[in-house]
Amino acid sequence: MSLQEPPVTVSDLQELLKKKDEIEAQIKAYYEVLQDQRGVGMNEPLVDAEGYPRADVDIYQVRTARHNIICLQNDHKALMQQVEQGLHQLHAREKEKRDRDEAEARAEAQGQALPQPFAQVNAVSPGSPASFSGLQAGDEIAEFGSVNSQNFQSLQNIAVVVQHSEDKPLRVTVIRRGEKIHLGLTPKRWSGKGLLGCNIVPLQR
């Protein structure tokens, strides 16, 4: 079983950056040692034209400084990779958290925005007032004129509203595929039966 590495924290990154500063300070110090040795850098030859070790520099000190600089530069490179990976991890975690928070906020806002439906349209006749209003089979009714989930008792409530609203526009709110939609429905006589031309059934909750 492979053990997962613990997630990188901000303080881990601060620690890595502190080490990076320390390594950079050490590299700088060793470069200063080289500068003191008549300005020899990393690549100047340590022998004279005849192949003898140069007498004007401390060869042991230069070699040690060069060796340490190479080791420290490798450490620095490895450390920078760790810092980069750590930053990626932190950013990914931050983004994940942000996305999760946004999704939760959206779900919460939607939950608050959707009123409780109490009935459902299970058929709409073509050419009827219901059809002209945009009502569709499958729509869940959350508000029908003055009737809502709070005061709805039976379909008789809707029938009374319809009878009293002949030729007057009614505000109807439906939930369709998780969205709240407002429609204007005017009950009126048409070639078919009733004043609406749709079939409404109570929702079993």
Side-chain angles (χ1 to χ4, degrees):
M1 189 180 81
S2 68
L3 284 173
Q4 260 198 327
E5 281 188 30
V8 173
T9 63
V10 175
S11 59
D12 291 340
L13 266 182
Q14 284 170 339
E15 199 55 45
L16 288 173
L17 290 170
K18 205 168 108 184
K19 276 190 200 161
K20 174 188 90 84
D21 290 343
E22 283 167 11
I23 289 175
E24 285 170 359
Q26 285 175 295
I27 291 174
K28 187 167 174 279
Y30 282 120
Y31 268 118
E32 281 167 6
V33 168
L34 293 181
Q35 279 300 310
D36 290 346
Q37 295 293 324
R38 300 200 169 267
V40 293
M42 292 295 287
N43 304 308
E44 282 77 9
L46 295 181
V47 290
D48 59 22
E50 291 167 16
Y52 289 107
R54 283 172 59 175
D56 59 339
V57 294
D58 183 332
I59 288 172
Y60 173 76
Q61 213 175 14
V62 170
R63 282 199 175 132
T64 305
R66 283 180 177 179
H67 171 75
N68 287 341
I69 286 171
I70 290 166
C71 291
L72 286 165
Q73 280 173 339
N74 288 337
D75 291 349
H76 188 268
K77 196 175 164 190
L79 197 65
M80 289 313 288
Q81 279 176 336
Q82 275 183 280
V83 168
E84 206 176 318
Q85 282 167 356
L87 282 171
H88 279 312
Q89 262 193 49
L90 275 182
H91 286 318
R93 277 214 308 282
E94 277 297 314
K95 187 180 181 308
E96 212 176 284
K97 185 180 181 300
R98 237 188 356 262
D99 291 349
R100 207 168 45 238
D101 289 349
E102 277 172 20
E104 278 172 17
R106 265 202 307 275
E108 201 178 313
Q110 233 175 6
Q112 286 169 349
L114 292 184
Q116 185 71 34
F118 57 85
Q120 185 169 33
V121 180
N122 65 358
V124 176
S125 306
S128 66
S131 158
F132 281 122
S133 77
L135 214 54
Q136 294 178 9
D139 283 350
E140 294 188 340
I141 299 171
E143 200 180 11
F144 194 99
S146 58
V147 183
N148 56 41
S149 62
Q150 306 298 311
N151 58 19
F152 174 76
Q153 284 153 348
S154 71
L155 290 177
Q156 188 58 34
N157 301 133
I158 290 178
V160 169
V161 169
V162 170
Q163 280 157 12
H164 286 99
S165 306
E166 191 173 342
D167 295 323
K168 293 179 199 151
L170 280 173
R171 178 188 165 90
V172 178
T173 303
V174 299
I175 311 292
R176 183 183 299 162
R177 289 187 288 279
E179 273 188 71
K180 181 166 70 169
I181 298 167
H182 297 300
L183 305 169
L185 169 60
T186 305
K188 60 172 74 168
R189 305 209 171 272
W190 63 296
S191 57
K193 223 167 39 157
L195 298 173
L196 295 180
C198 67
N199 194 36
I200 296 171
V201 293
L203 266 183
Q204 304 304 317
R205 286 276 179 231

